[in-house]
Amino acid sequence: MPSIKVLAEREERGVRFTGGHTLCAGCAEPMVVRTVLHAIPDPVVVASPTGCLEVATSRFPGTAWNVPWIHVAFENAAAVISGVEAAYKALKKRGLIDKRVRFVVCAGDGGTYDIGLQALSGALERGHDFLYVCLNNEAYMNTGVQRSSATPKCAAATTAPVGDVILGKPQERKDLTEIVVAHGIPYVAQAAVSHLIDLANKVERAMKYEGPKFINVLTTCPLGWRTPRDSAIQQAKLAVETRYWPLYEVIEGRYKINYKPKERVPVEEWLKTQGRFRHLFRDEQGKELMAQIQAEVDRRWEALLAKEQCFGGNG
Amino acid sequence: MRKAITGHKAVAEAMRQIEPDVVAVYPITPQSEIAEYYADYVHNGIVHTELVPVESEHSALSACVGAAAAGGRVMTATSSQGLALMVEVLYIAAGLRLPVVMALANRSLSAPINIHGDHSDAYLARDSGAVQIFAESAQEAYDYTLMAQRIAEDMRVRLPVIVNLDGFTLTHTVQPVDLLDDEPVKKFVGKFQPVSPLLDVDHPVTWGAFAMPDYYFELKRAQQAGMEAVPAVFLEVQREFSQVSGRRYQGFFEAYKLVDAEYALVVLGSTAGTAKVAVDELRAQGMKVGLLKPWLWRPFPAQAVAEAVAHVKAVAVLDRAFSFGTLGALFEDVAAALYPLERRPILANYIYGLGGRDITVPDLIKVFEELPRLTQNEWALRYIGLRE
Ligand SMILES: Cc1ncc(C[n+]2csc(CCOP(=O)(O)OP(=O)(O)O)c2C)c(N)n1
Ligand code: SF4
Ligand SMILES: [Mg+2]
């Protein structure tokens, strides 16, 4: 399993994602990208859809990518990597390439949960050999914090504002990880930027499998979540501790929860640290909404425990 | 070898002989048979191509872009709504200078939904940066699919190329087609030369960068230079192909009995075949008429077109699609081409054949017979075969 030391050594030998990009100070995205890329010892080709990561790392004529990287559009990263992987297979068959090359998508939640869902589903069904990492910061951050289907209920977003009548996003977030599980691919996991070694381990385990692999990483956006710039790690950690964002894996259909918080920390503890939920702490209506959020967190956690119970073990 | 085959089969055979590394394709009438034939080749081990049976045309072209950037030779095919879904990525393929070759089985765009032929899909991609070629017959569809590969991959060009063939009229009818042997085709098409491929992992390259106002303009200007290189490359490739095939391809268009014509018609695709019959019939009656059939539509060979019709009294330009709110796209191309001439032929613009409406020899004879009566340019659209 890759330790911090191993990751640091690999980075020293050949940094794959450099500084000098224009992601915000305190943004969690580069930590996730560096961890993922250095957890894979083989050469990699990366595809990213349009979004913060893409815009901030590829401004012509500079680039933050020291590995081959491609951006095509917002909704098609999974289709693009399908083509890259297909070309790799074709060139390998013709003896034009002999190296083992791995294929990775680093995409936002908008490019994954919403506009890119069809391309993702298609690529998963076709069984391309690639790892898809969703840098889930729970909104369209690049374009100014608009809601996505990953945005949590009640969070303020610019297209789901806190108004006199409607307080933030009325709908619950989509459970994309479970939708991906339903594709029956060999490896699916949830991770968080607060648990980087867990993330590195997941990437390493994932890459042992041939076929599509998917990791949904909770990736703090201090700007959109309205949290202090030095809080990214703490934020994600609280999301895990409150069971809002369970760390788990589904390997060949078998569920494993990687971390079970000993105490039941109310989700309120996480919500209260973020400006995007501030309106929930004003009055009775906010309390009521918070109770609904808690109930859904509990329901999903219980469902996950039950799945682990039924479909757990090492097989 | 001469065979009686459909336009579909002719294109599929060209693709089989080219044997690209990756084909990503999604079915749509009247293109589907191309996808089906190719799947047959792959599933029977006839080609080594990786087939990516995508879930949409958007993904078809996206996978082609990924595969081409990775360093593979790629092809796809589509029609109508499929092209509409691809358009976003088509502009990107051109902007990334990727040589994706695509057969477009021309079909009208919805609404109303209709599966039959017209050129609204090709017109939709007019400004995409893709080179566009029109075929009159299954033979031309086959020949130009082979030539398209060379044009797209030429280092001076490096752009996507669309080979248009009329839906049903060409895709579904059985016609005699002379197919070349595999060996000379493979020699003609040659090896694919990737540029900065993603799979060259020791030389990492950033594809699809973000360009601000400080660079965007220069990068698009460089793309325009690729387009400007097309005419010379087109003629070179035609010359070489003529040697390989024994079929004569020379020029950006076919000029049929145009040299001494007094009245001319300009039309794209299969309707040119019908027009040739009309020309012959009128010539037999002593009327000096001729035809100009562009093979190359984008880039538009304006100067050559102007020179070819400069001597004519009147020209009818036929568009098989509206460009709503203005005159037909082909008409505007021709009108702009003629503008620098000192003495310009009179022009008229006809819209015809939408949604697969038949176009007949008598229809075209009527158009020719209208031309001598024109005393000045006609700025109102005229229609062929429309009930009004
Ligand atoms: C087809 C299309 N629609 C909309 C956009 C505008 N757009 C670009 S990035 C983006 C949001 C990206 O959100 P996400 O994928 O969550 O990434 P983030 O920026 O949050 O990391 C949007 C809406 C676009 N580029 N293309
Ligand atoms: S807006 Fe958020 S996700 Fe985007 S760069 Fe800034 S902190 Fe990172
Ligand atoms: Mg996002």
Side-chain angles (χ1 to χ4, degrees):
Chain A
M1 294 285 110
S3 61
I4 286 281
K5 196 161 156 252
V6 169
L7 293 174
E9 274 169 13
R10 283 187 191 155
E11 198 166 52
E12 217 141 278
R13 245 178 289 135
V15 62
R16 292 186 153 183
F17 182 84
T18 71
H21 52 69
T22 56
L23 290 156
C24 300
C27 177
E29 289 193 348
M31 286 181 266
V32 174
V33 173
R34 282 167 58 200
T35 304
V36 168
L37 295 187
H38 291 288
I40 304 170
D42 296 320
V44 292
V45 176
V46 181
S48 294
T50 317
C52 273
L53 181 68
E54 168 266 329
V55 166
T57 60
S58 69
R59 178 167 167 179
F60 188 88
T63 181
W65 299 91
N66 249 342
V67 292
W69 178 87
I70 183 167
H71 157 254
V72 179
F74 185 23
E75 63 278 60
N76 62 357
V80 171
I81 210 78
S82 299
V84 176
E85 185 252 17
Y88 171 69
K89 279 198 203 143
L91 298 189
K92 218 166 188 192
K93 263 191 286 190
R94 289 174 42 210
L96 294 174
I97 189 164
D98 49 9
K99 279 204 177 82
R100 171 140 208 220
V101 182
R102 315 305 300 264
F103 304 99
V104 179
V105 171
C106 292
D109 50 292
T112 306
Y113 280 64
D114 292 342
I115 202 164
L117 181 59
Q118 174 181 315
L120 172 64
S121 178
L124 299 179
E125 183 268 337
R126 290 190 299 274
H128 296 279
D129 190 19
F130 73 113
L131 169 68
Y132 193 109
V133 178
C134 177
L135 309 175
N136 180 6
N137 54 23
E138 303 193 314
Y140 303 158
M141 298 309 180
N142 180 52
T143 42
V145 200
Q146 293 90 11
R147 83 187 282 287
S148 79
S149 61
T151 304
K153 183 179 164 85
C154 293
T158 49
T159 49
V162 177
D164 291 339
V165 183
I166 302 171
L167 297 186
K169 185 185 168 190
Q171 300 87 1
E172 268 296 344
R173 66 202 149 117
K174 184 190 282 180
D175 193 345
L176 182 72
T177 309
E178 289 302 303
I179 293 171
V180 172
V181 169
H183 285 73
I185 63 171
Y187 187 93
V188 183
Q190 273 194 181
V193 67
S194 47
H195 297 67
L196 287 175
I197 290 300
D198 172 74
L199 172 62
N201 287 335
K202 282 174 174 163
V203 171
E204 192 175 83
R205 271 200 293 282
M207 295 318 270
K208 294 202 177 101
Y209 294 88
E210 180 142 355
K213 287 116 356 212
F214 178 89
I215 306 180
N216 196 349
V217 189
L218 189 71
T219 307
T220 317
C221 165
L223 183 127
W225 294 13
R226 292 195 245 141
T227 55
R229 282 181 176 179
D230 60 359
S231 71
I233 299 297
Q234 205 48 41
Q235 278 300 328
K237 199 167 179 181
L238 258 178
V240 173
E241 290 296 336
T242 55
R243 301 169 180 172
Y244 168 86
W245 192 260
L247 304 179
Y248 73 103
E249 287 171 299
V250 186
I251 304 181
E252 295 185 312
R254 305 215 165 262
Y255 278 74
K256 182 176 180 200
I257 303 175
N258 307 106
Y259 174 67
K260 289 180 187 156
K262 290 199 182 58
E263 279 167 49
R264 186 177 176 281
V265 184
V267 72
E268 183 180 339
E269 295 300 312
W270 182 61
L271 303 178
K272 77 178 183 201
T273 60
Q274 301 172 46
R276 63 176 171 161
F277 294 112
R278 193 169 40 216
H279 50 283
L280 296 181
F281 297 87
R282 287 193 307 224
D283 52 21
E284 281 307 304
Q285 192 191 357
K287 273 211 181 99
E288 164 58 25
L289 286 167
M290 213 137 42
Q292 289 173 17
I293 295 170
Q294 183 66 58
E296 181 61 14
V297 167
D298 293 344
R299 189 193 68 74
R300 290 192 190 192
W301 177 255
E302 293 301 323
L304 188 61
L305 287 174
K307 281 178 204 162
E308 189 190 44
Q309 189 101 62
C310 291
F311 313 110
N314 296 318
Chain B
M1 190 195 343
R2 174 161 290 202
K3 279 191 168 177
I5 55 175
T6 60
H8 285 136
K9 181 71 175 168
V11 171
E13 279 293 288
M15 290 171 70
R16 177 188 64 71
Q17 293 178 313
I18 293 165
E19 200 177 355
D21 296 304
V22 175
V23 166
V25 63
Y26 192 83
I28 179 169
T29 304
Q31 165 269 61
S32 301
E33 286 82 348
I34 296 176
E36 293 166 9
Y37 279 126
Y38 212 81
D40 244 24
Y41 300 148
V42 172
H43 282 220
N44 288 299
I46 293 166
V47 289
H48 289 104
T49 305
E50 281 292 318
L51 181 68
V52 188
V54 279
E55 80 299 331
S56 75
E57 288 88 351
H58 196 283
S59 285
L61 196 52
S62 300
C64 284
V65 165
R73 176 178 273 157
V74 305
M75 293 182 88
T76 187
T78 192
S79 180
S80 180
Q81 306 307 121
L83 184 83
L85 203 51
M86 278 184 181
V87 159
E88 183 196 26
V89 189
L90 187 61
Y91 275 72
I92 298 170
L96 295 178
R97 307 295 298 275
L98 290 171
V100 183
V101 172
M102 181 197 307
L104 183 61
N106 298 117
R107 157 182 158 178
S108 58
L109 284 169
S110 204
I113 194 160
N114 167 299
I115 57 168
H116 292 278
D118 71 32
H119 295 156
S120 46
D121 51 5
Y123 283 22
L124 172 66
R126 186 188 68 171
D127 298 342
S128 64
V131 174
Q132 291 211 48
I133 296 171
F134 275 84
E136 180 195 328
S137 60
Q139 181 72 61
E140 287 191 1
Y142 170 79
D143 291 345
Y144 273 112
T145 302
L146 301 179
M147 287 188 264
Q149 206 67 45
R150 284 285 302 276
I151 297 162
E153 291 177 12
D154 191 284
M155 287 300 172
R156 293 163 284 180
V157 176
R158 286 275 151 168
L159 287 170
V161 178
I162 295 174
V163 178
N164 289 283
L165 67 161
D166 281 308
F168 292 102
T169 315
L170 295 186
T171 56
H172 284 66
T173 52
V174 174
Q175 300 153 67
V177 179
D178 280 317
L179 299 173
L180 301 173
D181 291 338
D182 291 359
E183 268 323 296
V185 169
K186 287 194 191 302
K187 227 180 117 207
F188 169 75
V189 173
K191 265 213 195 105
F192 182 62
Q193 299 287 341
V195 176
S196 306
L198 288 168
L199 289 171
D200 183 1
V201 289
D202 298 326
H203 302 97
V205 166
T206 288
W207 278 82
F210 164 63
M212 291 289 276
D214 54 352
Y215 280 103
Y216 184 88
F217 202 170
E218 283 72 23
L219 294 170
K220 293 316 259 188
R221 172 65 185 91
Q223 183 182 333
Q224 168 70 2
M227 258 300 187
E228 286 167 359
V230 170
V233 173
F234 188 85
L235 296 177
E236 279 173 35
V237 171
Q238 273 185 330
R239 211 170 303 134
E240 204 183 311
F241 186 77
S242 300
Q243 277 162 12
V244 173
S245 65
R247 288 188 282 281
R248 219 173 101 87
Y249 285 102
Q250 198 179 37
F252 308 121
F253 44 79
E254 183 185 353
Y256 185 75
K257 303 193 176 171
L258 192 58
V259 180
D260 63 341
E262 291 178 346
Y263 300 98
L265 209 139
V266 181
V267 69
L268 294 164
S270 64
T271 305
T274 315
K276 285 175 187 169
V277 179
V279 167
D280 290 348
E281 287 192 10
L282 288 172
R283 285 256 171 190
Q285 295 167 27
M287 190 173 173
K288 285 191 169 171
V289 293
L291 165 76
L292 187 144
K293 173 193 82 180
W295 280 309
L296 184 63
W297 180 51
R298 277 295 172 278
F300 190 70
Q303 201 182 335
V305 167
E307 283 164 14
V309 297
H311 63 282
V312 168
K313 286 185 183 151
V315 180
V317 182
L318 272 58
D319 277 284
R320 201 171 182 182
F322 279 109
S323 291
F324 289 104
T326 183
L327 293 155
L330 183 61
F331 176 85
E332 293 193 339
D333 290 336
V334 174
L338 297 185
Y339 183 78
L341 296 180
E342 254 169 46
R343 197 205 66 82
R344 289 185 285 270
I346 288 172
L347 286 178
N349 189 193
Y350 290 81
I351 304 289
Y352 78 100
L354 299 201
R357 176 66 50 88
D358 255 354
I359 177 105
T360 63
V361 173
D363 287 336
L364 296 175
I365 286 180
K366 219 173 107 195
V367 170
F368 274 124
E369 287 174 346
E370 279 173 15
L371 288 182
R373 294 201 287 270
L374 296 179
T375 53
Q376 56 183 34
N377 287 327
E378 262 289 312
W379 293 113
L381 286 173
R382 294 169 163 236
Y383 299 96
I384 306 174
L386 177 76
R387 292 189 303 275
E388 266 190 307

